[in-house]
Amino acid sequence: MREYGTYSWRNPWFRWSILSVCGTTVAAVMVGFIWLPSVQGDFSAQGLWASICRAAGVPQEWGERPDNAQRAGSTTSVVLDQAMTRPGASEAAGRGATLALQQCTMCHGVRGVSQTSVPNLAGQYAEVILKQLTDYRTGARASAIMQAMAKNLSARDVSDLAAYYALLARLTPSSEAAAAGPVPPLVNSADAMRNIASCASCHGGVDHKLGAPWLDGMPKEYLALQLTAFATGERRNDSYAQMRNMARQLSAAEIDSLAGFYARR
Ligand code: HEC
Ligand code: HEC
């Protein structure tokens, strides 16, 4: 038997140890960077490259291509800020009222309360209106009607409209209607097994989280449609996918009862 040098390629031990190290590395890369990220929920939303970056722990801005916020399918580009919640100057609200009368009341109602399945805007938090209109403008939130409406609004129009609608009186709940049905458990208690926080901890009742819309009195069809759209990922403009992650865990019956509950209030 011939003797080879320890580090010679013709030494089978040396050759196979190198090949097995390479093989293991390739397999680990495939699993960690391709396979695992690809089975995560939002894989297709941001593409393979974003998934690889996320798997490697790279901060999002590095992996993101500059046009990402503009691409349909990406999440929001709006960074919420407490300053957005301050009621605008009366001049801003006055200008917003004029714009609303010309462009919005036919669908959202004269006083911001709609009679159809269009969402109410009266008393909606200013930062919510700002964020949602901006998301329609950039295409981060898809809606043929609202994207066409928002495209024609300037940044100032958007903030004036937000100031105006935030000042309008909310629908006053009728106490009989509110008492007419059961309170779904998720409204007030979290479900730790499914990683769902109570709705009231963000949407008012217990606490209000910046950017979480006022839901009480919204049309039931609208609420159910939005929850379903979050669940399927069709709507994906919620920062950090917080609504998508929860909505995905809800059954159709839960969506129906939650939408019914908020619509009754
Ligand atoms: C032709 C009817 C129509 C007109 C006109 C219209 N909207 Fe809408 N609006 C809708 C519909 C329908 C939706 C729900 C779209 C969806 O499912 O995302 C909506 C959604 C919104 C939302 C999101 C509400 C929420 O709770 O997330 C805001 C904000 C909004 N509209 C503001 C406006 C403003 C401001 C104007 C006027 C400049 C306007 N809309 C004009 C039909 C209309
Ligand atoms: C961690 C905070 C948080 C919790 C808990 C939460 N939400 Fe949300 N929700 C949000 C935020 C923030 C948005 C706005 C997302 C965006 O920016 O478009 C939202 C949006 C929504 C919308 C869309 C409303 C509109 O007008 O567009 C509905 C409907 C909704 N949530 C229902 C629920 C229900 C029902 C629950 C309880 C099962 C719940 N949410 C729990 C934070 C939360």
Side-chain angles (χ1 to χ4, degrees):
M1 201 172 113
R2 274 176 62 192
E3 282 295 321
Y4 303 114
T6 313
Y7 300 119
S8 160
W9 187 247
R10 295 164 72 194
N11 174 345
W13 291 104
F14 177 71
R15 191 165 67 230
W16 284 108
S17 63
I18 296 282
L19 287 174
S20 66
V21 166
C22 293
T24 313
T25 307
V26 169
V29 165
M30 296 295 279
V31 168
F33 289 113
I34 314 271
W35 183 65
L36 282 181
S38 78
V39 294
Q40 311 259 326
D42 277 322
F43 173 68
S44 56
Q46 293 177 349
L48 181 63
W49 179 240
S51 304
I52 292 175
C53 292
R54 197 166 48 189
V58 173
Q60 236 181 356
E61 308 85 74
W62 294 7
E64 222 165 38
R65 275 154 298 177
D67 62 344
N68 224 6
Q70 265 65 46
R71 285 215 327 267
S74 66
T75 193
T76 186
S77 58
V78 179
V79 179
L80 290 166
D81 170 343
Q82 284 294 342
M84 296 177 181
T85 65
R86 287 186 207 117
S90 57
E91 180 210 344
R95 207 176 152 271
T98 310
L99 280 167
L101 192 66
Q102 292 162 344
Q103 301 185 34
C104 322
T105 49
M106 60 284 227
C107 294
H108 289 282
V110 179
R111 303 287 304 159
V113 176
S114 104
Q115 303 303 320
T116 59
S117 61
V118 173
N120 300 333
L121 299 177
Q124 185 55 274
Y125 301 103
E127 91 274 4
V128 168
I129 298 187
L130 253 166
K131 175 175 186 296
Q132 299 304 324
L133 285 177
T134 308
D135 284 348
Y136 287 128
R137 250 171 21 132
T138 61
R141 180 172 173 187
S143 156
I145 297 173
M146 280 311 301
Q147 283 179 264
M149 292 302 308
K151 213 172 50 203
N152 300 320
L153 301 172
S154 69
R156 176 162 177 219
D157 293 343
V158 168
S159 74
D160 291 353
L161 283 160
Y164 168 66
Y165 278 116
L167 287 175
L168 286 190
R170 287 176 180 153
L171 208 59
T172 34
S174 84
S175 43
E176 313 93 77
V183 180
L186 282 173
V187 170
N188 293 310
S189 23
D191 182 340
M193 293 302 286
R194 289 189 292 168
N195 229 334
I196 304 179
S198 73
C199 315
S201 63
C202 291
H203 286 285
V206 175
D207 201 357
H208 171 242
K209 191 162 188 292
L210 192 65
W214 177 259
L215 302 178
D216 298 12
M218 285 273 199
K220 183 181 173 187
E221 303 78 16
Y222 172 74
L223 294 174
L225 207 69
Q226 296 307 311
L227 287 170
T228 312
F230 280 132
T232 59
E234 195 187 317
R235 176 170 170 184
R236 51 180 131 229
N237 67 323
D238 51 327
S239 319
Y240 309 113
Q242 51 188 353
M243 275 310 302
R244 272 170 289 170
N245 288 336
M246 287 182 287
R248 234 179 255 139
Q249 310 279 334
L250 299 173
S251 69
E254 281 175 314
I255 289 185
D256 186 72
S257 70
L258 286 162
F261 169 79
Y262 278 107
R264 280 196 304 277
R265 303 228 310 180

